[in-house]
Amino acid sequence: MKRARPYDREAALDAAVSLFWTKGYYATSLKDLEAALSMRPGSIYAAFKNKEALFCAALERYFQKNIAELHEKIPASPSPLQGLCDHLRWLGQNQGGDCNSRACMLIKTLLDTTASEARIAEQARCYLDRIQAEIATIFDRAKACGELSPEMETGRLARRYQSDITALRIEAHRGTDRKGLADLAEDLAQGWEQLRDQSHN
């Protein structure tokens, strides 16, 4: 008897992220998962237990990808604040793909889930908090190297920055063209660069 091909967990999770990000938790059927993951129902359940557990694993994968982008792009810039500005510009230029998978998957999850999926909503909320904390740490570094005034609250700045990312992704989700997205990202980035200029005056 021919043995089933072993599955690639990372590839399966990437496929699940794409599918859930596009269709959402409720609208994604088992048939959709079978096709996207190239796995039979028994194999899906053996690997991920159930649909909710698979969705939570996909959320974690999405979160890790976002953190990895920050860790990759911020150190590549001349300074922490400049890295955050460059990250916004990069997002403005790289919001391609299906319009249904442009808005933040974590935000979409919070909007889509109900009280009966409290575990899913709480996980999405936790990941958003962790991303915000990571951003606050970058602002701490920016303050330490003199890019920001000492009295600025980095937690507050991180919340504002995260809302800028959300706004940018919502614009992409609603179909704003590439130039419009790039212009918006540039405006947002320049707003943050003005903070550095103010601290040097």
Side-chain angles (χ1 to χ4, degrees):
M1 180 181 292
K2 184 178 180 181
R3 298 182 62 183
R5 184 180 60 184
Y7 85 106
D8 181 329
R9 184 177 178 84
E10 291 190 357
L13 283 176
D14 285 339
V17 167
S18 180
L19 177 61
F20 282 129
W21 195 358
T22 300
K23 299 195 69 170
Y25 179 71
Y26 292 112
T28 300
S29 67
L30 181 57
K31 287 291 185 185
D32 294 329
L33 290 169
E34 287 180 55
L37 277 63
S38 300
M39 295 171 67
R40 294 183 178 180
S43 298
I44 294 174
Y45 287 121
F48 300 104
K49 296 184 180 179
N50 54 44
K51 178 182 171 182
E52 180 179 319
L54 173 54
F55 186 83
C56 288
L59 273 185
E60 181 179 16
R61 182 78 168 172
Y62 177 83
F63 161 74
Q64 290 173 340
K65 179 177 180 291
N66 278 267
I67 289 294
E69 286 175 353
L70 280 174
H71 287 171
E72 176 186 350
K73 299 210 164 19
I74 303 303
S77 296
S79 68
L81 184 61
Q82 191 60 53
L84 289 168
C85 295
D86 291 344
H87 185 58
L88 283 173
R89 292 183 173 104
W90 178 83
L91 286 172
Q93 296 168 0
N94 290 275
Q95 292 293 306
D98 190 312
C99 66
N100 291 318
S101 60
R102 292 176 184 170
C104 174
M105 185 179 177
L106 300 175
I107 297 293
K108 286 177 70 175
T109 298
L110 283 178
L111 294 174
D112 289 345
T113 51
T114 63
S116 61
E117 284 79 38
R119 177 192 170 198
I120 293 175
E122 181 56 31
Q123 185 168 338
R125 192 175 294 109
C126 175
Y127 288 148
L128 285 167
D129 289 346
R130 288 171 64 181
I131 291 171
Q132 186 173 303
E134 189 73 23
I135 294 168
T137 298
I138 299 169
F139 277 119
D140 284 333
R141 296 205 300 266
K143 189 158 68 169
C145 68
E147 287 190 287
L148 298 173
S149 299
E151 67 273 9
M152 288 185 174
E153 300 177 25
T154 55
R156 185 174 177 179
L157 294 175
R159 189 176 299 111
R160 174 183 157 191
Y161 184 87
Q162 192 173 44
S163 70
D164 282 351
I165 292 176
T166 299
L168 190 58
R169 285 177 164 160
I170 288 174
E171 282 298 312
H173 188 74
R174 69 191 289 262
T176 300
D177 62 24
R178 280 187 171 275
K179 184 180 185 306
L181 289 173
D183 288 345
L184 175 58
E186 182 61 33
D187 291 342
L188 293 171
Q190 288 184 14
W192 288 107
E193 288 172 343
Q194 286 173 8
L195 289 182
R196 179 180 55 205
D197 296 338
Q198 291 169 9
S199 70
H200 290 165
N201 290 335

